[in-house]
Structure formats: C-alpha cells, structure tokens
Amino acid sequence: MPQFRTVLVTGGAGYIGSHCVVDLLDAGYEVVAIDNFANAVGDEEGSPALARAEQITGKTITFYKADLLDKPQINDIFDKHSIDCVIHFAALKAVGESMQQPLLYYQNNLLGMLNLLEIMRSHNCYQIVFSSSCTVYGEPEQLPITETHATGNITNVYGRTKYFIEEMLKDLSAADDKWNIISLRYFNPVGAHPSGLIGEDPTKEFTNLMPFMAQVALGKKPVLTIFGNDYNTPDGTGIRDYIHVMDLASGHVAALNLLSTNHVGLKVYNLGTGRGVSVKELVDVFERVTETKVPTKYVARRLGDITAMWADATLAKTELGWSTTRSIEEMCTDFWRWQTMNPDGYPKKNKTSVIVMNGKS
C-alpha cells in the first residue's frame, strides 16, 4: 500500500484527470475528485467520465462539484477528508480562447491555484503534483527540450498562466521547506483508455487535433482545418510530441511514488515521448490505422502557435523510473475506439431534455 492514502484530484472529470484517476485507483489510492465542469461533461449529480472510471476499476471515487474560486467550498472538502497529496489539473486550457479572454484565464488559473495552496497549507498538506505544460518553454532554442531550457518567453496567455504558477511554486518552495512539489510539463496528450469507455470529449469548440480529426472521420464534420502549412518543417506543418494519455497518467503515479518516499522540495519533469511528429504525419497514421479518410484544408497559422516542440524525457526516466510505452498507432486506435463507441461523447442530459410521454412531447 502506498504511503499516501488519499489523493485530491482537481479537474478530475476532465480528459487527463479522469484517465489519471483510473491509474490512481489501480495503484491503490483513495481518490477525492473535484470539478466545476468548465471543461468537462457533468452536473450536480456527478461526472459520466468518473462513473466510467469506477466501472473500469471496480472502485469508488468521492466526487464533489466544486470550484477553486469558491474558497469556503474547497475548505469544507479539506475539513471532511484527510488529504495526503493533491494532483492539480483544474485549469482553463484553450490557447486561442486565452488570447481573447486573458483576464478570465488569469482569474481562473492563478486565483484557483492560490486558493488551493492556501487551503492546503492551513490543513497541513504540503504535497502537490502540478499539471504544467511544455508551453512554458515558448519557441524552443534547441531541440529536444530538456528541463533546463529557459522558460518565460511564452507565446500565449494559457502558457503564461502555467509559467506564473511554476514561478509561484518556486517562491513557495524557497520560503517554506515543508512543501514537496513536482511540476510535470506535458507535451501533447492524445488517445484514450483502451476500454473505449473514457476519452476526450471537448465541451468547447473542437480545438484539439485528434477529437477534431475523429469527428471528420465519422462524417460529423466536413473537413479538418490545419493551421499553417508554411512552417520551417519537412512537410510545412507544425511538429509536436504526442503522448498517449495513459502514459501521461502513469507519469502522475510515478510522481506520487517519488513524493511519498522522498522530500524533493521542488522538481520539474518533462512528460513526452522524445519524438516529434508533424500534424500531417499524425493525420496519415490516423487514416491508416482507422481505415478512414480525413479531408483536410490548410488555413493561416494560429496566433500563439509555435513551429516545433518535442521533449527530452531522460530526467523522468532516471528519477521517476517512467517512460512512454505506447505508439502513435495505439494513440490513434485507442482514440478511434472511444470515438466510435461514443460518437457524441459522454451522455449529456441537455441533449435529451425532451421527455416523450404517451407519444407526445
């Protein structure tokens, strides 16, 4: 049994959060999850993703619909449960939207984090895994990117919120050595749990490549829009380090294992495969493994996007004993399984709000 018993997962109903919860339950942790459903499907009665995580694992999750901007509400949850460690996923995360609504992003992501840290401290909980992002690196100076690469020269507001939080955690760690913090800088999570029961179900306009691509392959959208084919890359499209969401989930369990056995102060790790794949390559692999056709159209680059980015994840391998095991083909196959089993995503109440009685609505 791990040394930590109870883990609070903020943003637990979201795409990465729900997949991580599955791994945490499988590893023997008790999970308390919170979500405000800004980026996830659900309501007062709970989260379909977490209900399915319970189905996958045969274990139960304590869930609260809660918002980190509501401090008394979060305080009550810490009063009720003896939380050993927090994994903090909750954040607004759309690059394009962040450029249009910076105040919304600063309020939600920065204030939410401040409230969480203050409540953790008042409840003597000093262990946290923070969901950071490779966006903190900005346009890379060299590739692959190691954790020592400069941060802060960032091209979008979403990335800046992650960077400001990392700086906040640095200051906190320097001021009080009780804190035990790991920041995980994710590269580009894709794919879904191999059961097909949980996956990515965007609640906002489709901005992530794989859900958009799958919608086109299903015939629900006419064409995949690719932003930019004039980048300085072999095929002109942007290059990213796509990582299977279940590999990403196992990285969080590895981070918890390190925190529970060591006082690390503050550590930062890249979570990526170490391989750059272009948007066009990903579309080609997706078409091949799913035996579908994805019509594409190229439009101008998106404000805030960078050319190429992939990780050097050696440090995570050395210190966390973690590395990725799933291929690009598996990322595509697993996502397609989720999408074909759930063509409209999770069941949403508002889509079936018309009740038919006696043949009349």
Side-chain angles (χ1 to χ4, degrees):
M1 187 64 200
Q3 208 174 311
F4 294 158
R5 217 172 84 95
T6 305
V7 179
L8 174 72
V9 180
T10 75
Y15 171 44
I16 302 170
S18 57
H19 286 77
C20 185
V21 164
V22 167
D23 260 18
L24 291 171
L25 293 170
D26 282 342
Y29 292 99
E30 302 274 322
V31 173
V32 177
I34 66 171
D35 207 294
N36 68 353
F37 298 120
N39 289 326
V41 177
D43 55 29
E44 298 297 340
E45 290 166 35
S47 148
L50 291 176
R52 291 180 180 192
E54 291 182 327
Q55 191 185 332
I56 290 165
T57 58
K59 296 181 175 174
T60 55
I61 299 158
T62 304
F63 177 75
Y64 296 93
K65 180 174 188 284
D67 194 316
L68 290 169
L69 298 183
D70 184 340
K71 219 169 166 185
Q73 190 186 29
I74 305 302
N75 202 67
D76 286 350
I77 293 166
F78 273 82
D79 285 348
K80 274 194 198 127
H81 300 274
S82 176
I83 307 289
D84 296 308
C85 183
V86 174
I87 302 183
H88 180 45
F89 292 107
L92 295 176
K93 61 180 177 62
V95 168
E97 182 185 56
S98 77
M99 303 297 280
Q100 293 158 351
Q101 302 191 61
L103 292 183
L104 177 69
Y105 272 67
Y106 288 129
Q107 183 191 45
N108 191 82
N109 295 4
L110 299 186
L111 270 185
M113 184 66 182
L114 271 174
N115 288 345
L116 178 62
L117 291 169
E118 286 174 352
I119 292 164
M120 285 175 67
R121 184 176 60 186
S122 69
H123 288 79
N124 223 25
C125 174
Y126 290 97
Q127 334 275 342
I128 185 167
V129 178
F130 172 57
S131 150
S132 190
S133 164
C134 63
T135 55
V136 300
Y137 295 119
E139 188 74 56
E141 288 161 20
Q142 74 276 333
L143 288 164
I145 286 191
T146 65
E147 291 80 356
T148 56
H149 186 289
T151 59
N153 186 20
I154 297 157
T155 56
N156 61 72
V157 174
Y158 159 70
R160 263 192 287 284
T161 67
K162 293 293 186 186
Y163 168 69
F164 289 152
I165 290 172
E166 282 200 7
E167 293 298 295
M168 204 190 292
L169 294 174
K170 259 189 224 170
D171 293 338
L172 191 57
S173 168
D176 184 348
D177 62 10
K178 286 200 203 74
W179 287 96
N180 206 19
I181 302 167
I182 291 179
S183 273
L184 298 175
R185 292 177 181 157
Y186 312 160
F187 282 68
N188 292 70
V190 294
H193 190 272
S195 66
L197 289 172
I198 60 173
E200 186 173 9
D201 183 11
T203 54
K204 296 182 178 171
E205 197 44 47
F206 287 79
T207 55
N208 283 359
L209 179 59
M210 198 167 274
F212 198 149
M213 190 156 59
Q215 290 288 304
V216 174
L218 279 175
K220 286 179 165 288
K221 288 190 181 295
V223 64
L224 172 67
T225 304
I226 297 176
F227 296 98
N229 62 345
D230 57 350
Y231 284 106
N232 183 21
T233 60
D235 63 25
T237 64
I239 291 176
R240 298 291 180 270
D241 187 337
Y242 296 100
I243 173 173
H244 196 296
V245 67
M246 292 311 299
D247 279 334
L248 192 60
S250 71
H252 292 76
V253 176
L256 279 192
N257 291 344
L258 184 65
L259 284 183
S260 67
T261 52
N262 292 272
H263 189 79
V264 300
L266 171 64
K267 294 291 285 189
V268 177
Y269 298 101
N270 285 338
L271 294 188
T273 65
R275 179 171 169 242
V277 173
S278 79
V279 172
K280 187 175 182 313
E281 274 181 274
L282 185 64
V283 174
D284 290 346
V285 172
F286 187 89
E287 287 186 324
R288 188 178 83 242
V289 302
T290 63
E291 298 180 345
T292 59
K293 274 277 161 266
V294 180
T296 56
K297 76 166 178 188
Y298 293 101
V299 297
R301 298 180 188 190
R302 201 167 40 179
L303 186 66
D305 275 349
I306 58 164
T307 302
M309 172 82 82
W310 65 91
D312 180 330
T314 311
L315 194 65
K317 186 171 189 180
T318 309
E319 297 188 6
L320 297 177
W322 172 90
S323 55
T324 60
T325 61
R326 295 159 179 91
S327 66
I328 289 279
E329 284 77 8
E330 283 170 277
M331 298 174 207
C332 293
T333 304
D334 289 344
F335 195 85
W336 186 237
R337 186 182 301 110
W338 146 256
Q339 194 70 93
T340 49
M341 285 170 65
N342 306 272
D344 298 314
Y346 293 112
K348 298 164 187 75
K349 292 208 171 143
N350 58 0
K351 285 196 175 173
T352 54
S353 57
V354 177
I355 297 167
V356 178
M357 296 175 70
N358 306 324
K360 295 174 191 166
S361 60

